[in-house]
Amino acid sequence: MVRSQPLATSRPESDTWFRAQGSQYMANPTDEEQPLRTQALCWNDASYLLAALNAAQSGTWSWDLDSGEISWSEGVHALFGLDAGQPLPDNLDNLGSLSFEDWPKAQRAFQEVRNGTARQKFVHHRIRWPDGSLHWLEVRGSFIDTQDARPLMLGVIREVTFQRERLSVSEDKFAKAFHSSPDAITISELVSGRYLEVNEGFSRLTGYSCTEAIGHSPYELGIWGDGSKRQALIDELHDKGRITHREIVGRSKSGDVLHLEVSIEPITLNETPCILLTARDISQLKLAQAQVRHLAYHDPLTNLPNRALLMDRLSQQTLLLNRHGLRGALLFLDLDHFKHINDSLGHPVGDSVLRIITARLETSVRSEDTVARLGGDEFVVVLTGLKGTLQEVTHSVRNTADALRQLLAEPMFLDGQRLQVTPSIGMVILPEHGTQPADLLKRADIALYRAKDCGRNTVQLFDFSMQAAATERMRIESDLRTALARNEFSLHFQPQVDARENRIVGAEALLRWQHPHLGAQAPAEFISILEDSGLIVDVGTWALEEACRSLSLLLDEDLIDPNSFRLCVNISPRQFRQNDFVERVQSSLSTHRLPASILKLEITEGIVIQNLEDTIGTMRQLMALGVSFAMDDFGTGYSSLTHLKRLPVDTLKIDKSFIHDAINDPNDTEIIRAIVAMAHSLKITVVAEGVEQKSQLEFLQSLGCHLYQGYLHSRPVPLAQFQAMLKGPND
Ligand SMILES: Nc1nc2c(ncn2[C@@H]2O[C@@H]3COP(=O)(O)O[C@H]4[C@@H](O)[C@H](n5cnc6c(=O)[nH]c(N)nc65)O[C@@H]4COP(=O)(O)O[C@H]3[C@H]2O)c(=O)[nH]1
């Protein structure tokens, strides 16, 4: 338009484009101009521009500030709702005839231009047309330099009713969204921070009413603890253009800390740069997140740190100890036979025991030490900042561990019951036994295992030689997993003899493992691994089945008397507790068409103690079939007479450890005497195990115990040898 218009250099009156109202110049082009217009309209053609203005429902105007004279382009009438012929105001003084709806505002705008305070102007005015309808006009104008330096303003005028209505609808929507939003929304001046608008969500969140907030900055109200934080956000806003989902901490009117998630947008309001801030209270979310975090790192029963947190603290501790040249210790604790408490007294009692243990542990370590629960009955205590030589530290850690052991073993009273649990403790010293948390835990566990092996209720310090033993154990376990499938197990039979007639009256079936490379393995070792790994269930089932198969062979060969011969088969606690144990025994007996009375199951007190009632129930079912029971290793465990009286066992086996010193150790002598007397009074048969010497047998016989097994008569032998034995002197 500027290129096409010579106005910048000439007076509008000299240019026919701008004429007083009613100018028909463009509507009546001269004859010379006509061909030009019809031949080709171009940008230099004024009629082209006029057509464009009309199409855009726009017009132009000029205003001579000296004379007040106003000129309009053709077509402007339509913008005022006038007919083409109707007069338009040609001077500022009679501009009021156009019925501006907000006339004072229009006048103010003209005045500002007149005063020279604005060289450019952009205003929206409402104007009421003669037909009474209200329309929005946008008027833009700016000063131009004329050749004769007269103050002249030129501009464009156009109808914007549609845009304004749309704007007003969206403003309405915005206002509704602003006020009804559950979030806190504020509009504040960018520079001063003063609130210009706040919604009800803001009042709900902060406790400040609109009147208390508007006109004040968040610092004055104390909503932002520190002004520097806001400034940092403003700087970021400047760089990025907007900020979304940023967590900040604020403070409410009552002083409560508010965890907020804010989004910030820059906006301009009344030509003032402002920020539109939306804030959401995430305190509950933060709380929930903190709880989830806490749960992720703590054991819910005791609220102690769990394995994950322990590992984290151990990592920190190893670094700290290294930096300060100090030592630390890790104690791995496990409660002996804790499962029995759960099984016999129920889980609520078990939980209470764990809580009491937790309290005892927590009160006996320093605040900088860590007590953690790894699960079940496993606890870890980490002692840090220990000064001294390795010897001194080891000595003091041992003392601490021993004190803990004694404290934990103190009786506790629950539901009117007196309970006592003892711990086994494995310990490692940092950094001597490792610097990696996983290694430390593993090594302390190895030491704990050794403590269990040494009879429980004891403390063991890790030694690297233990690791070799643990690795060896893992190797054996892995080999045992394939042993059954590879047919590496067999049964040996040790005769049970009636010394009065030197006659074999029964036998004990004993498991043997022939390792493909290492040869025969010691049952004492591999059987405990079978027990710990759970493999004993399958292997025990196999042993029972194999024992029955052997029995049927012996019966077929008429080598044993089904009415008097008893074969003892060892049953492990896990095997005994299988849901279908009774059915399995029944099935083995019937598969081999055996009379049930020929089978005697050897159980240990380990089975009994874990759940007396269930044990008695299972035993009764088997007894009903005709199977009998022997109590193995009698005298070594809890040896409760109360148990014995209630259990349907008809045989007691005196453990070989008593027999070994039966002659020389007066204690053992008395124990054997007491067991035999008690068995006799309960009408229970007694079998002595591990009889190696004649003198031992004579002593036993002097007490009235005539049944025995032991090297004196025979070692456990393979079936073929046992068959030969039965055929021999007994024939
Ligand atoms: N020093 C000495 N020892 C003697 C003498 N007479 C017998 N023995 C040994 O004493 C153990 C008696 O078996 P146990 O007490 O039931 O103790 C058994 C039993 O508890 C367990 N066991 C053996 N076979 C099985 C099985 O098939 N299943 C289960 N669950 N455990 C089994 O392994 C334990 C050890 O078995 P073994 O090593 O075969 O050890 C056997 C036997 O070889 C003797 O005069 N002197």
Side-chain angles (χ1 to χ4, degrees), residues 68-183:
E69 191 182 320
I70 299 178
S71 303
W72 306 97
S73 68
E74 190 180 338
V76 169
H77 292 81
L79 297 176
F80 300 124
L82 300 173
D83 292 333
Q86 286 185 271
L88 285 171
D90 58 357
N91 195 286
L92 187 64
D93 299 334
N94 49 29
L95 204 61
S97 64
L98 286 176
S99 35
F100 282 98
E101 197 53 24
D102 26 21
W103 179 231
K105 185 177 151 198
Q107 277 182 315
R108 254 198 325 276
F110 286 118
Q111 207 48 53
E112 274 178 41
V113 175
R114 262 196 161 149
N115 297 343
T117 43
R119 286 209 41 98
Q120 284 187 332
K121 207 64 198 167
F122 165 67
V123 280
H124 281 184
H125 287 300
R126 282 178 304 162
I127 193 159
R128 197 167 292 280
W129 283 7
D131 65 2
S133 58
L134 204 58
H135 295 255
W136 280 96
L137 295 179
E138 181 186 280
V139 185
R140 283 173 187 272
S142 57
F143 274 99
I144 58 160
D145 299 317
T146 55
Q147 276 176 340
D148 50 5
R150 275 202 291 159
L152 182 73
M153 199 165 189
L154 279 184
V156 185
I157 182 167
R158 68 180 182 119
E159 167 136 24
V160 289
T161 308
F162 177 67
Q163 290 90 326
R164 284 303 301 218
E165 275 169 1
R166 273 186 51 189
L167 188 65
S168 112
V169 170
S170 64
E171 272 175 359
D172 250 23
K173 279 188 191 156
F174 174 78
K176 276 196 188 117
F178 184 87
H179 287 293
S180 64
S181 167
D183 295 336

Side-chain angles (χ1 to χ4, degrees), residues 491-492 494 508-512 522-528 530-531 536 539-540 542-544 569-573 575 602 604 632-633 653 655-656 660 689-693 696 709-716:
L491 286 186
H492 279 194
Q494 185 173 41
E508 180 179 2
L510 292 157
L511 186 65
R512 295 294 178 259
E525 276 174 35
F526 77 78
I527 287 178
S528 69
L530 285 176
E531 297 257 5
I536 194 68
V539 177
W542 174 87
L544 181 68
V569 177
N570 290 282
I571 302 296
S572 86
Q575 195 185 350
E602 278 194 20
T604 54
D632 203 4
D633 305 339
K653 294 186 82 175
D655 190 67
K656 60 178 177 290
H660 189 259
E689 262 186 343
V691 178
E692 294 181 356
Q693 293 160 15
Q696 292 165 340
Q709 63 183 84
Y711 297 170
L712 180 63
H713 183 274
S714 166
R715 285 181 178 259

Side-chain angles (χ1 to χ4, degrees), residues 63 103 215 389 405 584 605 722:
W63 173 27
W103 179 231
T389 62
R405 185 186 60 76
R584 281 174 190 249
E605 278 171 307
F722 186 55

